[in-house]
């Protein structure tokens, strides 16, 4: 038995469990120049929602009735490839499949000696790099400034906030539950956190949390939350646009306030980025994140769901905020 998860339908609005199909395929064997991989950890990420649409984006759409792919940590079960041996662990963009073969292209070896294996999908992987490089390269933080981060309780947000604090900034997080508000303040040492689901007037809540105004808004969610933060930005504010999860399931894009007057009058810079824009900085950023992690200056938070069959539900749960930190599925 070798289970695989296919895209069964292109989701309309929020994905449902019926948009995925779990089926059985043959157990593969490694040919010369190949390795046989056993999936160990699977990353579920909001950006995968965009790949489920037909529309072309910065990554091609998933094909209907074909396996879904994401960041995966896998163990080498058998090797006919000179660069890999049985027992190695690799990180790569692989299929949601229990066992698969690979020619090794695009795979990076990872070791549990250096860090927890799952952290290569989170704080030492794509989301940690996004937080660090998005904040440093686009947010341009300076000591004493005020950073607001939305999606603050998630994989990217928890790291943005912690790095902001390390750099001597004031950090305010916006998140979707009282439990996450408490976590941000106690574990992650945010100066303030706001529950956007229970706050009546978000614009006023941001104003009162940031009496000196907002210098950097690290935007993970877009939509009305971002409108409320934008109303509070300072002169020369920087707004790294990292994600827009509040809009990913919309079937029609809602019309928001026109941004030009505020960007103009505040001489503010709003800049979207995709983490691959900064690929040349990955080695130095990974080194810095690893050092901070080892020195316990930053903490890695993960929500681990168990079982291959639960991958689709773990992905859907991202849109209900069921994760704290990085959402990962363990086999
Ligand atoms: P998270 O770990 O933050 O998980 C998603 C979180 O989003 C949920 O936990 C939920 O938390 C929140 N959320 C879900 N629906 C809504 C909504 N309608 N409005 C507001 N918040 C919502 O995900 P990541 O940290 O992996 O990603 C965060 C963002 O960064 C995403 O938008 C993602 O697409 C983007 N991203 C961009 C990258 C890039 O290269 N630019 C790379 C990686 C991620 P809550 O309880 O607070 O609602």
């Amino acid at each position: 038995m070798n289970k695989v998860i296919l895209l069964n339908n292109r989701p309309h609005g929020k994905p449902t469990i019926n948009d995925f199909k779990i089926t059985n395929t043959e157990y593969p064997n490694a040919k010369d120049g190949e390795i046989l991989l056993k999936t160990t950890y699977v990353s579920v990420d909001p950006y995968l929602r965009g790949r489920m649409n037909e529309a072309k984006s910065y990554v091609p759409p998933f094909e209907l009735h074909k396996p879904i792919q994401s960041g995966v940590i896998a163990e080498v079960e058998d090797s006919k490839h000179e660069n890999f041996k049985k027992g190695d662990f690799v990180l790569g963009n692989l299929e949601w499949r229990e066992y698969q073969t690979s020619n090794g292209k695009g795979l990076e070896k990872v070791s549990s000696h250096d860090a927890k294996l799952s952290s290569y999908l989170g704080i030492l992987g794509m989301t940690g790099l996004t937080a660090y490089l998005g904040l440093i390269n686009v947010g341009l933080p300076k000591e004493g400034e005020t950073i607001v981060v939305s999606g603050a309780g998630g994989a990217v947000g928890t790291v943005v906030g912690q790095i902001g604090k390390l750099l001597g900034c004031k950090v305010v997080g916006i998140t979707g539950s009282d439990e996450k508000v408490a976590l941000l303040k106690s574990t992650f040492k945010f100066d303030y956190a706001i529950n956007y689901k229970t706050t009546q007037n978000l614009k006023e809540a941001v104003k009162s949390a940031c009496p000196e105004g907002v210098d950097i808004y690290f935007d993970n969610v877009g939509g009305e939350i971002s409108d409320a933060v934008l109303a509070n930005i300072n002169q020369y504010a920087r707004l790294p646009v990292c994600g827009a999860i509040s809009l990913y399931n919309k079937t029609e894009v809602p019309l928001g306030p026109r941004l030009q007057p505020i960007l103009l009058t505040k001489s503010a810079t709003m800049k979207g980025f995709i983490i691959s824009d900064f690929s040349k900085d990955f080695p130095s950023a990974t080194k810095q994140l690893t050092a901070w992690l080892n020195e316990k200056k930053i903490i890695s938070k993960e929500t681990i769901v168990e079982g291959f069959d639960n991958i689709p539900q773990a992905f859907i749960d991202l849109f209900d905020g069921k994760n704290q930190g990085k959402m990962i599925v363990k086999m």
Side-chain angles (χ1 to χ4, degrees), residues 40 47 66 102-103 106 112 117 145 149 153 178 215 218 244 298 305:
T40 311
Y47 83 91
K66 294 276 174 64
S102 163
N103 60 10
S112 59
L117 281 175
E145 288 191 322
V149 53
D178 288 345
D215 299 300
F218 195 103
I298 53 173
V305 171

Side-chain angles (χ1 to χ4, degrees), residues 31-46:
K31 299 192 199 83
D32 278 347
E34 287 186 345
I35 47 179
L36 172 65
L37 295 171
K38 181 186 179 193
T39 297
T40 311
Y41 292 101
V42 172
S43 176
V44 289
D45 299 275

Side-chain angles (χ1 to χ4, degrees), residues 44-48 58 126-127 130 150-157 174-177 180 196-197 218-222 225 241-250 273-276 317-327:
V44 289
D45 299 275
Y47 83 91
L48 298 172
Y58 62 97
M126 196 257 288
T127 55
T130 299
S150 54
V156 174
I174 304 180
T175 188
S177 75
K180 286 194 219 179
Y196 72 89
K197 288 189 180 158
F218 195 103
D219 190 0
N220 281 315
V221 305
I225 294 173
V241 180
C242 175
I245 193 169
S246 76
L247 305 175
Y248 293 171
N249 292 328
K250 297 276 188 224
F273 70 95
I274 299 297
I275 188 53
S276 51
D317 284 348
L318 289 170
F319 299 96
D320 290 321
K322 297 221 174 126
N323 58 309
Q324 294 182 352
K326 181 75 191 94
M327 183 78 112

Side-chain angles (χ1 to χ4, degrees), residues 261-281:
I262 181 118
L263 295 177
L264 171 71
T265 56
K266 298 290 181 180
S267 304
T269 308
M270 188 175 201
K271 186 177 186 309
F273 70 95
I274 299 297
I275 188 53
S276 51
D277 298 345
F278 305 127
S279 52
K280 71 168 180 24
D281 298 331

